[in-house]
Amino acid sequence: MESYLVASTPMNFLIKLDKDEDDQSVDITKYRRIIGSLLYLTLCRLDIIFAVGVYGRFQDNPKQSHYVASKRILKYLKGTQDVELWYSKDYSFNITSYSDADYARCKVDPKSTSETCQFLGDQLMSWYSKKQTSVATSTSKVEYLAVGSCCAQLL
């Protein structure tokens, strides 16, 4: 990995991963080692949690496209070794929260994703991104579930 170029993000959001049954299979042990190591690393690198969770869904039958995508996280980590969150001492106590959802974007199943982030003053305090547990039939229901997740996160 030392000779590889760095990546600016842990995932390429233009590429939508699916089961990809036609692609070439890869060594399942090697793929699981990468995902397992990255899962361990998420304890201190919260910025890769979502990407590791997405790639971890394909551990039962990984394909070449999943393997290449998981290596992107390693390239991202190589370029962000010195990145850290920093909170100043003089910040305001105004809490601002944002929520969003994408309606049935996942190719593997028709579930939507809820995303929220909370700011204390102008500094990020927490964020949340998770696939919704139920299948919504409209975009307004998806947004309603996302707002519910946002309120739960605030509490």
Side-chain angles (χ1 to χ4, degrees):
M1 295 296 299
E2 289 181 10
S3 64
Y4 286 11
L5 296 175
V6 297
S8 59
T9 59
M11 287 182 77
N12 184 349
F13 291 100
L14 300 175
I15 297 174
K16 305 294 180 216
L17 290 178
D18 57 4
K19 292 182 182 179
D20 207 6
E21 299 293 338
D22 299 331
D23 203 1
Q24 178 185 358
S25 293
V26 296
D27 182 11
I28 194 167
T29 306
K30 194 180 217 182
Y31 186 77
R32 286 183 177 175
R33 278 190 191 139
I34 290 174
I35 297 300
S37 298
L38 290 170
L39 280 170
Y40 180 73
L41 191 59
T42 59
L43 294 172
C44 61
R45 289 296 302 260
L46 301 175
D47 51 340
I48 64 170
I49 288 176
F50 180 76
V52 173
V54 169
Y55 301 148
R57 295 178 193 159
F58 304 103
Q59 289 187 69
D60 60 334
N61 189 18
K63 302 295 183 178
Q64 185 66 29
S65 59
H66 308 133
Y67 182 69
V68 169
S70 67
K71 285 174 67 175
R72 182 180 174 97
I73 299 176
L74 300 175
K75 294 176 188 178
Y76 169 75
L77 291 171
K78 178 183 175 189
T80 58
Q81 294 176 15
D82 299 326
V83 174
E84 56 189 34
L85 293 175
W86 182 76
Y87 297 97
S88 67
K89 292 180 182 179
D90 44 317
Y91 58 86
S92 69
F93 284 98
N94 296 328
I95 295 177
T96 309
S97 187
Y98 300 96
S99 71
D100 191 20
D102 67 26
Y103 177 66
R105 189 162 122 190
C106 184
K107 288 183 171 182
V108 178
D109 57 24
K111 294 182 181 175
S112 303
T113 305
S114 296
E115 298 97 10
T116 70
C117 62
Q118 290 74 35
F119 290 86
L120 184 61
D122 60 347
Q123 297 163 354
L124 183 63
M125 179 177 65
S126 105
W127 65 90
Y128 173 89
S129 179
K130 186 175 180 183
K131 191 181 282 192
Q132 293 179 353
T133 55
S134 60
V135 177
T137 56
S138 71
T139 57
S140 59
K141 289 180 182 178
V142 170
E143 294 291 341
Y144 178 74
L145 292 170
V147 168
S149 298
C150 185
C151 291
Q153 192 76 1
L154 280 172
L155 294 174

